[in-house]
Amino acid sequence: MKYRLKIFLQVLCACAALAAVGYASSFLAKIAAPQRAEKKFGGRAAAFAVFGGYREAIASFVWLKAYLAWERGDYQKCLSNIELCVELDPENIVFWNLGASIIAFDTPHWLFGGGKAPQSVQKSIRRRQGALALEFLDRGLVANPKSRRLKLDKAIIYEKVFADKNAALQWHKAACDEGAPIYVVRDCANMLEECGRAREALDLLLSRAGSFDKSHPSYEFYLGHIKRLENKINSQKNMLAL
Amino acid sequence: MTKIFLIAKNSAREAFRQKLVSLILAAAVALTLFSMWAMKLDLGHEQLKFTANFTAGALGFFGAVVSVVLTCRLFYSEIENRTAATLLARPVSRFQFVAGKLAGVAAMLAIFALAVLLAGAIPLFLTRQKLGLLPDEMFLGGRPDLKWAGYAVFGFLQYVKLVAIAAMACLVCAASRSMVFAIIASFMVCAAAVVSCSEFFSGGGFLLNAALYIVPDFDIFENSIGFIFGGVNWAQFFAAFFYGVIYIFAFLILSVWAFASREI
């Protein structure tokens, strides 16, 4: 009994000493890894976390499994593997981007059961899966707050699944930050135009025109877009004048 | 100091003879070189980062296995063969014995880390050459840069982490009675430290916070992979280095204390 008590006290003393060391050196841990609070492992991903740098490679293999399940239209396996992928490697935009598209646009067809379901049921399923995809993308944006691709994905889902152009416009605007490439600016301008804000669309295109490479082939289309909007606004003015 | 050096030299020599360690080293080097091929199966990762992660994986995963297995085997071989009793009958203190063993493991780990780093440099160099042939337009966020000094510092920090894991295994060995138990317990503590158990708990409270402080947070060393591409952040380097060194000495002192009260 005395021996066990001695062992217990020794373990207790060792734990107390380690806790003291841990407390005293915790400020060093905060300096060494300041952004660590953003990273969280889920249940299954924690088992793979010990593999350290191999996590990304494992995530790629898991994605292949998800892809095989996608080919068979296996809803549960496909989604659970996608979840594992993003838990293992939350910084990979491709997993979030493709995963959200699968959830929003592919899984409803698997759930319709060959298109026999009534239109109202199909619409309800589409909206439910769309909401799931938006929630999925929200988590992706927490891990990758600067990703334009994920913001555009949200815009596309709002537009195509929910037919909510104003919400889509908000996400197009969020993606259209300083330094956004030509196609993102044009997409945002298109959405502004669809929302009946052609003047704002033109202002946006004109304000960003100076920041693009003028020798790039897509710049011609950009100028064409400006021209078309100017003509549209002018013809609207002329109509009002008449 | 001479006695510690002699024990360390003997332990390192014994470590070289361990076939399991050579096997793990070969597997780690092969897998690191294999990263160029594995990239063909990859989806969406930046190529240089993917290659560097393979090196980090080899150092982190295989390195932890080598640290734990080697420390436990070297420690218990001395006790089971009764050479520890013979050694400690001479004017050799228990501190010198434990420190010598740890230094021997640290020497072997230095060779392991160096071999993996050199193997990892080959695919990194080749990938950079391959990317160098591509036009600038292919890189949306700018052409990725590779800093060899950062790579060396990253390797050094990973080595410090491995020595800290070995010191942790030393404490478990000094306190436990069987090698199998010591290996399993060391792996469990190592997994909790590498994954950072704080990732799994939420909430607060004194007891929970105290429990989180007991297990060191070796996840902080993973941050150093950023040095390979963004250059060395010296504040982060020194913080991680001293964090590792503090734990190495803390585990060493506790190992000596646990070993002192143990019957050989």
Side-chain angles (χ1 to χ4, degrees), chain B residues 15-196:
Chain B
F16 285 124
R17 292 192 197 123
Q18 302 267 345
K19 281 182 187 161
L20 184 70
V21 175
S22 311
L23 210 69
I24 294 171
L25 176 62
V29 169
L31 215 57
T32 308
L33 292 170
F34 163 83
S35 63
M36 288 279 285
W37 184 82
M39 211 149 52
K40 290 177 184 167
L41 299 173
D42 182 51
L43 190 89
H45 291 104
E46 202 276 293
Q47 293 190 21
L48 273 174
K49 192 168 178 282
F50 184 82
T51 315
N53 273 335
F54 253 69
T55 312
L59 281 171
F61 178 67
F62 289 109
V65 174
V66 168
S67 297
V68 169
V69 172
L70 196 61
T71 308
C72 293
R73 288 185 82 155
L74 286 181
F75 211 87
Y76 276 93
S77 69
E78 295 277 11
I79 292 168
E80 283 167 7
N81 297 335
R82 310 295 299 163
T83 44
T86 316
L87 200 66
L88 291 168
R90 291 164 179 253
V92 173
S93 70
R94 296 205 176 201
F95 170 77
Q96 286 166 332
F97 177 79
V98 176
K101 283 279 147 203
L102 186 61
V105 174
M108 182 65 207
L109 286 174
I111 291 168
F112 174 86
L114 202 65
V116 173
L117 278 176
L118 288 175
I122 296 168
L124 266 179
F125 177 76
L126 292 175
T127 309
R128 192 175 73 162
Q129 294 295 101
K130 199 175 84 179
L131 293 177
L133 300 173
L134 298 174
D136 285 338
E137 290 165 8
M138 295 288 288
F139 305 98
L140 278 175
R143 193 177 282 278
D145 199 12
L146 190 62
K147 314 256 190 230
W148 289 111
Y151 183 65
V153 171
F154 153 76
F156 178 70
L157 278 183
Q158 293 300 310
Y159 168 68
V160 171
K161 182 181 91 174
L162 295 182
V163 178
I165 291 173
M168 195 164 68
C170 224
L171 170 62
V172 178
C173 287
S176 57
R177 301 277 151 190
S178 99
M179 187 169 83
V180 177
F181 173 80
I183 290 177
I184 293 169
S186 298
F187 271 127
M188 285 171 77
V189 180
C190 175
V194 170
V195 175
S196 169

Side-chain angles (χ1 to χ4, degrees), chain A residues 28-165:
Chain A
L28 287 173
K30 279 175 193 154
I31 299 170
Q35 300 102 15
R36 225 156 31 101
E38 293 166 10
K39 198 174 74 182
K40 289 274 176 210
F41 293 115
R44 288 182 303 164
F48 292 104
V50 287
F51 289 97
Y54 289 134
R55 272 206 315 270
E56 288 187 0
I58 294 169
S60 293
F61 282 106
V62 174
W63 184 264
L64 291 179
K65 277 185 76 182
Y67 182 73
L68 290 174
W70 176 80
E71 278 189 329
R72 290 193 303 269
D74 188 335
Y75 182 88
Q76 284 178 343
K77 273 194 181 165
C78 182
L79 260 61
S80 66
N81 280 317
I82 289 172
E83 278 296 332
L84 183 55
C85 275
V86 295
E87 278 178 27
L88 281 169
D89 189 8
E91 286 165 15
N92 191 337
I93 307 287
V94 177
F95 294 152
W96 293 107
N97 170 31
L98 295 179
S101 301
I102 288 171
I103 296 169
F105 302 116
D106 297 341
T107 57
H109 293 283
W110 303 344
L111 297 168
F112 293 161
K116 289 168 192 163
Q119 284 297 315
S120 59
V121 174
Q122 288 193 16
K123 190 181 174 187
S124 155
I125 290 173
R126 275 205 184 93
R127 291 179 81 87
R128 191 190 68 185
Q129 295 307 104
L132 282 175
L134 288 175
E135 183 270 334
F136 181 79
L137 284 170
D138 282 338
R139 286 191 285 138
L141 280 166
V142 170
N144 307 279
K146 289 180 184 168
S147 170
R148 285 194 199 103
R149 180 66 263 167
L150 299 185
K151 289 171 189 169
L152 288 177
D153 284 343
K154 282 200 83 167
I156 291 166
I157 290 169
Y158 272 118
E159 187 191 350
K160 304 288 180 197
V161 179
F162 295 95
D164 185 347
K165 288 188 177 170

